[in-house]
Every structure is written in C-alpha cells, then in structure tokens.
C-alpha cells in the first residue's frame, strides 16, 4: 500500500518560497469534521461530497488529534514506538479522516491547496477527486486545486495516517503527535523568487532569480530584472543589527512582498565569519512546543520565544530537528537571531540495531531525503536570518547525505552546510559535535583533536570552524559548566560557539500531574522525563538555567581594579552606544549610593566615583559591594529601555577577620527538668540529654541540627550514575550513633554518622557554646572515617522547625535565585527576601533545588543564623526524602514542618544527562572540615 512506499508524495507542485502575496487566499483553518480509526484499512468513501459525516466529531485545524481526546500522546527519545522494519508499519495505525466544507468566492478561478504541515502521511481529495499524497511532516505541500474547484460549495477531505514509511525518517526526540498541525490555505498565489544579497567591506549587492520585476524603494531600486546584480547603499543585517528592507516583486497576476537583509556568511582559515567578522553562536536548540497545543504553536507564542531569547542574550537558534513554522523565521529576521535551519530528518532509532537498514544509506530513500531538503531550502531561501542549512540530526552516515548536500550546494552556495552525525564531515562545511567535554573542545580549538583515519578528510576537517550543535543539556537542575565552555569559545577563534539543548520543557498540560512526560499516558515504550530538558518551563517561565545563561552570554564584561572598572565590549557587530551604565554601592544589601557612568562607545577603563573601603569595614562587619549594570538606553523592538543586558560586581571592603572560634562563654550548659523531662539548657536553647540534640531554640520546638550527606538527586545525578553510587553506599539512609554527650564550659556531642552495610562513615563532633549577647554558637568538626572513593551529594546540617513559625526568609548573600558550585552565575550578593514557597524551583520532575549560596546570615522570624564566614541555605515544607520520592509537582505536599538545610558544601551539577558530569573542581569529596554557625534570637 502507499503507506509503505518510498516515494515522498504524488501530485505535488514544485516547492517554492514562503511569500506574502496580494493574490486572493482563503484561510481554511478552523473546525473540521473529524473521525479517528484504529487502522488504516478503511474505505475512503468519506472523501465523496455526499458522504454523511453528521455522526463525526469536530477537531480544530491546526492541532493534534491526540491532544483533543482522540487517542493519547507518546514520547520516545531514541526508540521507535513501532517495530523497525522499513518500510513496513503495523496494522494498528491510527488514522484520522478530516472533512472541511467551504464556499468559493464568486468569480474565483484556479488556485493551490497549501498545507504547511501534517504528521506523518496525508492524502487529500477535493470534491471527490484525489489530488495526491505527501510525507515530510514539518514541510509544506501544495496541490493544484483549480481543475476541481466548483462555484459555491466545495468539500475538502484529508486522511492522515500516524505511521508510514516516512515515520522511519522522523525519529526526533519529541512527542509523537499526529494530525494536521499547521495552516491550510487555498491560494491563487503561484509566485516564486530567490533574492540574493551580499555585504562585504561596506559594499552590498542585490539580485534575484525567478520572474517579474523587483523593487526596493528605500534603496532606490526599481524594476530590477531577474539575473541582474546591482550595487546598493545598504546597511548590513546581523542578529545584533537586524536591518531589513521592504522589497516588492511584481508579477503579471500578483505582487509579493518580502523583507530582505544584506549579509555574507563565509569561512576563512577555519573561522566562521558574518560580513567579514567572526561569528560566535550563543545559541539554543528550539523544538516547536506548546503545553496544550503541542507543535501547533500560536504566533504569539513564537514571538514570546524570540523575545525571551533576545532578553536573555541568546543570539542564535538551531531549529531542532525540522524546519519551524515560517512565521518563526520571519520573527528571527525582524528581531535578530542567527538560524541554522534543519531538515526534517532523524533516524536515531536505527542506532539501537547497529544502524542496519538505516534510510540515510538506503538508496530507496534517496528521493525522499532529497525531497525534504529541497522543500526546506526552497521555502526558507529568502530569510537573512537563515545562515546555515543542516541536513538533519542523528541519522547516522550514508550515501544519501551526499545527495542532499550536493543538491543544496548547487541551489544555494551562499550558506554553509551542517550535519553532526558524520564525524568525517565529508559532506559539510563546519565541524559539529554534541556534548564534547571541555577538554575535547579545547583540543579542537587548538586544532589538536584526534585525527581521522583518512589524511585528506582529516586535513579538510581541521580547516573547518567548530561548533557544538548541542551542549550543556538543560534537564532539570542545571546545566553546570557553562562558564568554562564559554571561556573556551571566546579564547579560540576556530570555535564558533554552540547551542544549548534545549529551549523548552515539553511537559504536556495534565489534569493530575500538572505536566506530563513519557509514561504518563501508559506508553509501553517511552523515555520518561527525558523530554523535560529545557531552559524554560512548559509555561515559558525562565528556569534558573536560562537566567544563568543570560549571565554567561553577556555581551559586556566588567573588570574591576583600584578605583576603576574596565568595560569590555563583546558584541560582534555593534559598539556600546546603545547602552547606559549604572554603578550602585550597597552596604549589607542596602543601596547607599548610585551614579551613572560615562563609558566610551568602544569601551575601556572608567574611573569610579567611589573609593574602596579600608580595613575590615565598621565594627558591625558591614560589607560594601559595588555593582555596575549595563542597561538599554532606549526602547528596542525586543525590550524596553532599562532592560538589563549585563552586570558585574566587586566588593569594596575586604573580607573581615574570621570570627574568633571560641569566645569566652558567660554561662555553661546545665541540667534542668522541663515539663517533667530532663534537659540540658544553654541560654535559650534546650537539648536532649541522651542524644545531645537540640530540641528547643528561642521558644521553638526544633529537631536537629545533625549532619546530612544526602540530597534529592538531580536529573544529572540520576542519568550520570551518581545517584546509583550514592544509593549503593546508602547515603539516603544514614544512621546516627551518639558516642558521648559531655557537659563542661561547652556542650560537646560526639557522633558517628554512617549507612548500614558499609564501613564508611563520618565522625561529627558538635560543640555548643553561648556568647555574651545570648547567641548560640555551634562548631561542627567533621572527619571522614574510611576510604571514600566517590563524590558525596552534600556536606551540611539538617534541622526542622514548626511549619507555622516560618513564612518568609530574609538573607544576605547571593540571590535572588538558586546557586550550586557550577551554577548560579546570575546570583549576585545582596539582601533578599522570599517566602518558603518562592524559595522552591518548580522543576517539572522534582529534584534538589532552591539552594542559596554564600549566605552571611538568614532570618527565619524567631531567630537568625549567621555563618562563619558563609553557608548554603535551603528551606522547604517537605523533606529531602519526600522530594526524592516525588515524580511530579503535585506529589509535593506541604507538611507541618519546615526542613532547613544549612550547608557547608554541595556536589556540582554538571550536565551528565547528556555530556560531562561536574568538572573535578566542582566535585565534593569527603574531607576533614569545620563548620561554624551562630544562632541569634529575632530578625535583622
């Protein structure tokens, strides 16, 4: 049957550019009649106009039928959800039949039916006449409707099958969502045009292919004929300066309008250039996704994506792993993003069977792969934002890549070709990798990577720019290691940067789980929460990872010296004249002075209107911090004036002398009887005499603090193997043995903390004393016992408080967001306040989160904790065990206690879900340590 044909389609018109035409058009989006069948073997009588569809339901177009109660979604990353037996597909093949009745305007003649996207195999009839079929889910298809249109009432019928031979080309890491999910139009436009522009050394040229006449009034170009190249006085297009010119192409039957930009992409000595300048991608991978609409993404949401990217210093997008809706590329043209446009091709599941039968190397699939490449290039060829074509993703190697690349070069030699899956780069112009470690990226930057077996291919590849088409997997808490990657990208000219995986969590709105991921719909084969791997949550709220990325991608850097700041311009194509610079001094987090700085357009050293403090600050140990911010001086299309682009911070007062470890104690612990129970009392604190554990503090019933080594594993901990090691050691089920409780000038409690079934442990000695002003002083000495081989999750103290005692926390330290050893670049020193609920990061898959770093002091209402000098803070209404057991946000239910973690250190986050784990300098190894805290009544 046709479903199992290698032919990409029938009856299709030649692919052409997506253009805005004044030719008449009918929008056929809206409510269609719809019927879903479990198999493809059903009559096609529904396509006849007299067919009675009154007992059918209705379905909006564009949409996915399984998001509207017809079947259920399914998610896999690599595995095919059907047997790997190309081109055969199962008999169980959900098939959706669509019918749309429309009236043809009076006097209408001719026209084309244009479908922007349908997954995965669609056949179309007009008034009972079969027009043909098409595959290539994320690509347009056009049919000649003219011979079959009727005056007045017309019946359009479409049958869409979920599985087909084309399914084997579409194994992208995403939800399997069938249906007509992009626009449907009847149009009388037939125009095609290919505008060519260039910009180099201040000179621009313009020409075009096709027919008709081209005019660009702003450039003084009128009635330009095809094939004629003319010089023009044009400003260049870049992602930083997205200068567009309105062009008009006039044909006998219609006029089309498009916006053109002038830019030249080239490669010189292994460096990627735009308009003759080095181009550094600060990019993200973007799937099309909406939590309730799937890949049927509204225009407003596309615009929101681009605005969010621009506001977070992202300058590039890879359209993983298919061409996006053409409106998205219009937005990239308008607002300024470099785009790698990727073909709708991935055969990843064949890797699970040793790449046997891979379509990329199967000549029977050659026409289908070439067809997909042609339709992408022809549709998107006029977009200045599109600066590179990608042959696809994770499709192995094979002869069909050459077919695609050769045709693309012959059609458009102005854009380099990308494909990551072939390490030899035999058919590409750039060397691309996924998740290469920092060490490997540095070696490639130096052109010292491991050689290929073929000397000619090796020499060719060493002459290519290098980019990471995917790196820093943004799944859950993380990614870590961003700073170190960016430093390498900026150090070596060969490195053209990269693209974070990925933009958004693909969490589908769910009535029980809030957001669903793989397995939540009962799929027999799925990849769980691996689809929850974005920089923004499903509702497009930025995650801490995106906020950190903004800091890492900053186009302005600040280097502080004695009384000066050096402002470094890291833009590629503009100076600093569009920015204002504000310097603020804060004392313990409170603003005491603010000034505007006069910074030259080219950057440079600027004298500060402040002087550094002397000594150790005042008697209270006040800290003075200087923050310099670069903000937009005027409104931009993507952000309002005052939007912060970059910031830098330095301490004006040097760190104070560490607090004396053991001040003279005005009182010693004593035994008393409270409510019939014996207690050790020290000031306004009471301890259990048997365990030495604190039970009451400044009027609150408390539990702890006691040594804790466990955290709810992050996705990186789980997928990178650390969770298995930690659970194997039993760090989630520590036991606490009290060896002695001694009363003297201090209360000294000696313990051994260890899991069952191992001889590893930690010796922890708690020493409690009282200061002259009633503060409770705690020093914990920690000594590893045994040979600890692996990193540990955390090293700190855990205690609980009554849930009603704490609603908000105020702290002086880094904030306002979370920070871990290799994350939290966006966290700056200041005074912050948040509710317990606001301290949580609502990852779709619950995991360790919310840690505030370098805290000097934190107030919890009844008392304040101070570090000596700093500590890490986490406060939750559930325990670490409850957090680790949760699989969806609603699983976390507030209890009657606040669980407070006061940490000395944490294991780094890394990006081990895909890529390297935490760098060695961020690993937490068991080691001797001393941890000191002060507990004082009241708040600051």
């Amino acid at each position: 049957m046709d479903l199992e044909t290698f032919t990409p389609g029938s009856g299709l018109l030649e692919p052409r550019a997506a253009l805005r035409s004044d030719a008449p058009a009918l929008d056929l989006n809206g409510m269609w009649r719809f019927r879903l069948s479990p198999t493809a073997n059903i009559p096609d009588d529904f396509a006849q106009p007299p067919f009675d569809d009154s007992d059918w339901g209705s379905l909006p177009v564009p949409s996915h039928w399984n998001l509207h109660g017809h079947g259920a979604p399914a998610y896999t990353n690599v595995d095919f959800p059907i047997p790997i037996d190309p081109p055969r597909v199962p008999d169980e093949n959900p098939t959706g039949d669509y019918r749309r009745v429309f009236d043809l305007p009076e006097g209408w003649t001719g026209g084309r039916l244009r479908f922007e996207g349908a997954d995965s195999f669609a056949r179309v009839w007009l008034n009972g006449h079969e027009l043909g079929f098409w595959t290539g889910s994320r690509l347009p298809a056009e049919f000649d409707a003219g011979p079959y249109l009727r005056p007045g009432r017309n019946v359009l019928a479409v049958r869409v099958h979920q599985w087909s031979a084309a399914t084997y080309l579409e194994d992208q890491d995403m939800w399997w969502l069938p249906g007509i999910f992009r626009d449907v139009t009847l149009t009388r436009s037939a125009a095609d045009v290919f505008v060519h522009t260039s910009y180099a050394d201040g000179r621009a040229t313009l020409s075009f292919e096709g027919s008709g006449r081209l005019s660009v009034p702003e450039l003084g170009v009128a009635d330009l004929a095809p094939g004629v190249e003319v010089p023009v006085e044009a400003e260049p297009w870049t992602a930083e300066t997205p200068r567009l010119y309105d062009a008009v192409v006039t044909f006998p039957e219609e006029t089309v309008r498009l916006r053109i930009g002038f830019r030249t992409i080239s490669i010189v000595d292994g460096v990627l250039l735009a308009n003759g300048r080095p181009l550094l991608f600060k990019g993200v991978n973007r799937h099309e996704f909406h939590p309730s609409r799937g890949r049927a993404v509204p225009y407003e949401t596309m615009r929101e994506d681009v605005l969010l990217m621009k506001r977070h210093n992202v300058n590039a997008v890879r359209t993983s792993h298919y061409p996006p809706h053409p409106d998205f590329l219009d937005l990239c043209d308008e607002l300024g993003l470099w785009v790698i446009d990727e073909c709708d091709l991935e055969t990843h599941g064949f890797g699970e069977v040793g790449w046997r039968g891979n379509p990329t190397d199967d000549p029977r699939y050659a026409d289908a792969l070439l067809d997909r490449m042609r339709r992408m290039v022809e549709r998107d060829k006029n977009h200045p934002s599109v600066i590179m074509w990608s042959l696809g993703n994770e499709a192995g190697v094979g002869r069909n890549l050459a077919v695609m690349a050769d045709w693309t070069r012959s059609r458009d030699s102005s854009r380099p070709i990308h494909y990551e899956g072939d390490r030899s780069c035999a058919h590409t112009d750039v060397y691309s990798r996924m998740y290469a470690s920092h060490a490997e990226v540095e070696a490639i930057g130096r052109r010292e990577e491991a050689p290929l077996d073929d000397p000619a291919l090796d020499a060719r590849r060493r002459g290519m720019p290098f980019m990471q088409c995917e790196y820093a997997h943004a799944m859950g808490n993380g990614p870590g290691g961003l700073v170190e990657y960016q430093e390498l990208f900026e150090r070596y000219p060969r490195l053209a940067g990269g693209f974070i995986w990925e933009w958004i969590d693909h969490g589908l709105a769910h009535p029980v789980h809030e957001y669903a991921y793989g397995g939540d719909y009962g799929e027999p084969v799925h990849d769980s929460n691996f689809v929850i791997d974005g920089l923004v949550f499903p509702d497009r709220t930025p995650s801490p990872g995106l906020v950190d990325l903004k800091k890492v991608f900053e186009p302005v850097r600040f280097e502080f010296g004695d009384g000066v700041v050096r402002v470094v311009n890291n833009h590629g194509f503009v100076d600093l004249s569009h920015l204002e610079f504000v310097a603020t001094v804060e004392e313990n987090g409170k603003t005491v002075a603010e000034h505007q700085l006069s910074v030259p357009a080219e950057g440079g050293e600027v004298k500060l209107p402040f002087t550094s403090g002397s000594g150790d600050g005042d008697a209270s140990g006040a800290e003075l911090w200087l923050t310099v911010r670069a903000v937009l001086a005027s409104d931009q299309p993507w952000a309002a004036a005052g939007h912060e682009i970059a910031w830098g911070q330095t301490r004006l007062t040097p760190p104070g002398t560490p607090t004396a470890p053991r001040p003279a104690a005005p009182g010693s612990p004593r035994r008393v009887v409270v409510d019939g129970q014996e207690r050790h009392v020290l000031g306004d604190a009471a301890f259990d005499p048997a365990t030495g554990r604190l039970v009451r503090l400044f009027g609150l019933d408390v539990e702890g603090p006691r040594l804790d080594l466990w955290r709810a594993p992050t996705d990186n901990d789980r997928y990178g193997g650390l969770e298995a090691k930690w659970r194997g050691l039993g760090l989630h089920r520590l036991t606490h043995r009290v060896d002695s409780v001694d009363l003297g000038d201090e209360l000294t409690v000696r313990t051994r903390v260890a899991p069952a079934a191992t001889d590893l442990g930690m010796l922890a000695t708690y020493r409690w004393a009282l200061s002259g002003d009633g503060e409770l002083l705690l020093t914990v000495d920690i000594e590893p016992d045994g040979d600890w081989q692996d990193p540990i999750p955390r090293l700190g103290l855990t205690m609980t408080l009554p849930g009603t005692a704490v609603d908000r926390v105020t702290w002086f330290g880094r904030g306002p967001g979370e920070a871990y050893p290799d994350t939290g670049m966006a966290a700056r020193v200041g005074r912050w306040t948040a509710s317990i609920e606001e301290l949580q990061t609502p990852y779709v898959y619950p995991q360790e989160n919310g840690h505030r770093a370098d805290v000097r002091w934190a107030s919890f209402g009844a008392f304040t904790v101070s570090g000596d000098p700093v500590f890490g803070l986490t406060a939750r209404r559930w325990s670490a065990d409850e957090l680790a057991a949760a699989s969806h946000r609603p699983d976390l239910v507030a209890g009657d206690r606040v669980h407070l973690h006061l940490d000395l250190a944490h294991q780094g986050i890394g990006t081990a879900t895909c890529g390297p784990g935490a760098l060695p300098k961020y690993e937490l190894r068991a080691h001797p340590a001393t941890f000191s805290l002060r507990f004082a009544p009241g708040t600051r």
Side-chain angles (χ1 to χ4, degrees), residues 8 48 270 370 380-381 395 439 503 526 533 604 662 680 784-786 793 822 824 923:
Q48 299 305 312
L370 177 58
D380 298 340
K381 59 197 173 190
W503 176 243
H526 65 84
D533 52 4
R662 192 56 48 198
H680 294 336
D785 186 15
D822 54 348
E923 289 184 337

Side-chain angles (χ1 to χ4, degrees), residues 83-301:
I84 301 176
D85 184 23
R88 306 298 299 278
V89 295
D91 293 337
E92 297 83 7
N93 190 352
T95 297
D97 290 333
Y98 295 76
R99 282 171 56 93
R100 174 76 151 86
V101 176
F102 63 94
D103 290 324
L104 198 66
E106 188 172 348
W108 183 293
T109 59
R112 297 172 171 223
L113 274 170
R114 183 177 177 92
F115 296 83
E116 295 294 344
D119 189 332
S120 73
F121 179 109
R123 187 183 303 278
V124 58
W125 293 262
L126 179 62
N127 293 322
H129 298 276
E130 184 174 338
L131 301 183
F133 74 90
W134 80 97
T135 58
S137 298
R138 270 64 67 175
L139 292 160
E142 283 192 326
F143 299 90
D144 184 5
Y148 310 107
L149 287 169
R150 299 173 180 171
R153 183 178 186 270
N154 287 261
V155 178
L156 176 60
V158 183
R159 172 165 286 176
V160 178
H161 304 282
Q162 180 162 11
W163 310 125
S164 69
T167 298
Y168 294 104
L169 307 180
E170 298 178 0
D171 187 28
Q172 290 95 335
D173 175 9
M174 59 188 183
W175 292 97
W176 296 92
L177 296 173
I180 304 173
F181 68 96
R182 286 187 185 161
D183 309 292
V184 182
T185 310
L186 175 65
T187 176
R188 282 168 52 182
S189 173
D192 191 18
V193 63
F194 190 178
V195 175
H196 299 281
T197 66
S198 70
Y199 187 93
D201 300 324
R203 295 186 296 274
T205 64
L206 171 66
S207 64
F208 79 102
E209 296 178 42
S211 58
R213 289 291 193 269
L214 183 143
S215 300
V216 187
E218 189 176 355
L219 296 177
V221 176
D223 201 36
L224 183 66
V228 177
E229 182 176 275
V230 294
V232 291
E233 294 293 328
E235 300 172 38
W237 188 98
T238 72
E240 294 172 3
T241 59
R243 181 68 162 92
L244 294 174
Y245 294 87
D246 292 321
V248 178
V249 184
T250 304
F251 300 88
E253 300 295 330
E254 64 179 303
T255 298
V256 299
R257 299 181 181 276
L258 63 161
R259 308 188 76 189
I260 62 174
F262 292 82
R263 51 106 188 98
T264 295
I265 306 301
S266 59
I267 296 171
V268 178
D269 295 330
V271 179
L272 183 65
L273 305 175
N275 304 333
R277 293 188 180 187
L279 175 54
L280 184 64
F281 293 128
K282 300 177 180 180
V284 296
N285 285 274
R286 175 189 177 268
H287 267 291
E288 292 187 305
F289 184 76
H290 186 280
S292 59
R293 302 188 184 193
R295 285 186 288 280
V297 180
Y299 176 82
E300 295 76 16
T301 304

Side-chain angles (χ1 to χ4, degrees), residues 330-347:
D330 288 339
L331 289 165
C332 294
D333 292 343
E334 172 193 343
L335 296 171
L337 289 171
W338 308 106
V339 175
I340 296 180
D341 203 1
E342 191 148 271
C343 189
D344 190 7
L345 170 63
E346 180 166 336
T347 66

Side-chain angles (χ1 to χ4, degrees), residues 15-97:
R16 63 191 182 107
L19 299 167
R20 302 193 183 279
S21 171
D22 66 355
L26 284 180
D27 180 357
L28 297 180
N29 291 343
M31 297 304 294
W32 292 44
R33 303 297 288 170
F34 179 77
R35 175 186 68 185
L36 181 65
S37 302
T39 178
N41 298 316
I42 51 176
D44 58 12
D45 55 345
F46 81 102
Q48 299 305 312
F51 183 85
D52 182 6
D53 61 13
S54 59
D55 62 343
W56 288 18
S58 295
L59 184 71
V61 170
S63 75
H64 302 281
W65 67 60
N66 45 13
L67 298 184
H68 290 267
H70 303 280
Y75 165 65
T76 63
N77 170 24
V78 176
D79 293 325
F80 282 102
I82 61 174
I84 301 176
D85 184 23
R88 306 298 299 278
V89 295
D91 293 337
E92 297 83 7
N93 190 352
T95 297
D97 290 333

Side-chain angles (χ1 to χ4, degrees), residues 703-844:
E703 298 172 0
R706 63 179 185 175
L707 183 66
D708 192 9
L709 307 180
W710 176 247
R711 72 182 184 197
T714 67
D715 286 324
N716 288 298
D717 295 336
R718 291 193 297 124
Y719 284 92
L722 280 178
E723 179 187 10
K725 291 180 178 180
W726 294 340
R727 289 189 182 276
L729 283 175
L731 299 186
H732 60 302
R733 48 175 174 78
L734 294 176
T735 61
H736 297 256
R737 186 188 73 208
V738 176
D739 290 334
S740 65
V741 179
D742 299 322
L743 292 180
D745 291 340
E746 304 171 338
L747 172 64
T748 302
V749 182
R750 292 179 173 84
T751 69
R752 187 176 190 272
V753 180
T758 178
D759 61 353
L760 299 178
M762 291 282 187
L763 304 177
T765 300
Y766 305 81
R767 290 180 290 154
W768 294 92
L770 199 64
S771 72
D773 52 7
E775 291 184 344
L776 192 65
L777 311 178
L778 170 63
T779 299
V780 184
D781 295 313
I782 303 165
E783 183 73 31
D785 186 15
D787 185 14
W788 291 78
Q789 293 292 317
D790 296 309
I792 59 176
R794 78 183 324 140
L795 189 62
L797 304 176
T798 300
M799 61 187 298
T800 73
L801 318 171
T804 57
V806 184
D807 180 53
R808 301 190 68 80
V809 178
T810 299
W811 75 98
F812 178 48
R814 289 171 61 201
E818 71 182 24
Y820 291 83
D822 54 348
T823 73
M825 291 71 71
R828 65 189 84 179
V829 175
R831 182 187 179 107
W832 313 100
T833 186
S835 67
I836 297 293
E837 289 68 31
E838 290 167 343
L839 288 172
Q840 315 312 307
T841 302
Y843 293 113
V844 172

